Amino acid sequence: MRPALEVHDLVVLGEGYWPEPGDDVEAGPPALPGFVLSTFNPLAAVVADRCLSALPEPPSRNTGIVLVSDGDLTSAEHVRRAVAEGKRIGPLFFFQSVPNSVAGLIAAKWDLRGPVVCVTDGGLDEAALLIGDGDADQVLIVDIDAEQATARIVSWGVRT
């Protein structure tokens, strides 16, 4: 059994950002099939792809995902307004309003089979717990805040 993992033992293996130099911020991230109106899910997907593509080797299949955000506020506001006005809500909004939908899409695309956790704050503590308990070898932390996002893949580090 491994010793307890502390947050400062985590090592960042790769990173991805939105926006990066050259990104068309006005146009937003590339569209993501099955997700409409909001940039929330496309932001998560693009930073995850950038992070995982930058790794020298494919990520471990036992990679978990921690999604850190307040949720898809654009879609939530759209649904709130539609309900208040008595309008019909499109079926895609149910699917995309669940933050682990995009985490599942990322996991399927990259064949990641570790646990998926969605939180509103943090990320490092949850990653440390998943790795420390042996539930994941690595953890992809995707942090989304309004019009920007960051992804970092972390793993067990070696103390020096």
Side-chain angles (χ1 to χ4, degrees), residues 103-115:
L105 183 139
I106 293 165
K109 178 178 181 178
W110 288 92
D111 196 24
L112 308 179
R113 300 187 180 189

Side-chain angles (χ1 to χ4, degrees), residues 2 5 10-11 13-14 44 47-49 51-52 55 58-68 100 102-108 110-119 123-143 150-156:
R2 293 189 250 189
L5 178 66
L10 293 177
V11 174
L13 305 174
V47 296
D49 285 350
C51 176
L52 297 171
L55 295 174
S60 162
R61 288 178 70 187
N62 192 31
T63 296
I65 299 173
V66 174
L67 182 64
V68 183
N100 63 358
V102 74
L105 183 139
I106 293 165
W110 288 92
D111 196 24
L112 308 179
R113 300 187 180 189
V116 172
V117 177
C118 299
V119 296
L124 286 174
D125 289 337
E126 292 76 13
L129 286 171
L130 292 173
I131 295 168
D133 287 347
D135 294 326
D137 300 326
Q138 303 170 331
V139 174
L140 176 67
I141 303 169
V142 179
D143 192 340
T150 303
R152 290 184 179 89
I153 188 163
V154 298
S155 187
W156 181 269

Side-chain angles (χ1 to χ4, degrees), residues 9-155:
D9 289 332
L10 293 177
V11 174
V12 176
L13 305 174
E15 297 175 300
Y17 302 94
W18 178 273
E20 287 184 347
D23 286 336
D24 185 346
V25 177
E26 283 190 33
L32 189 59
F35 296 91
V36 297
L37 182 67
S38 171
T39 60
F40 177 85
N41 294 294
L43 281 172
V46 75
V47 296
D49 285 350
R50 287 176 175 179
C51 176
L52 297 171
S53 294
L55 295 174
E57 297 178 11
S60 162
R61 288 178 70 187
N62 192 31
T63 296
I65 299 173
V66 174
L67 182 64
V68 183
S69 80
D70 288 332
D72 183 351
L73 302 178
T74 300
S75 293
E77 176 57 22
H78 171 78
V79 169
R80 186 204 63 74
R81 195 172 339 124
V83 168
E85 295 171 2
K87 293 182 180 176
R88 183 178 178 275
I89 301 167
L92 288 178
F93 284 101
F94 174 76
F95 171 74
Q96 81 179 34
S97 69
V98 180
N100 63 358
S101 294
V102 74
L105 183 139
I106 293 165
K109 178 178 181 178
W110 288 92
D111 196 24
L112 308 179
R113 300 187 180 189
V116 172
V117 177
C118 299
V119 296
T120 58
D121 190 25
L124 286 174
D125 289 337
E126 292 76 13
L129 286 171
L130 292 173
I131 295 168
D133 287 347
D135 294 326
D137 300 326
Q138 303 170 331
V139 174
L140 176 67
I141 303 169
V142 179
D143 192 340
I144 304 172
D145 182 16
E147 300 300 317
Q148 61 185 12
T150 303
R152 290 184 179 89
I153 188 163
V154 298
S155 187

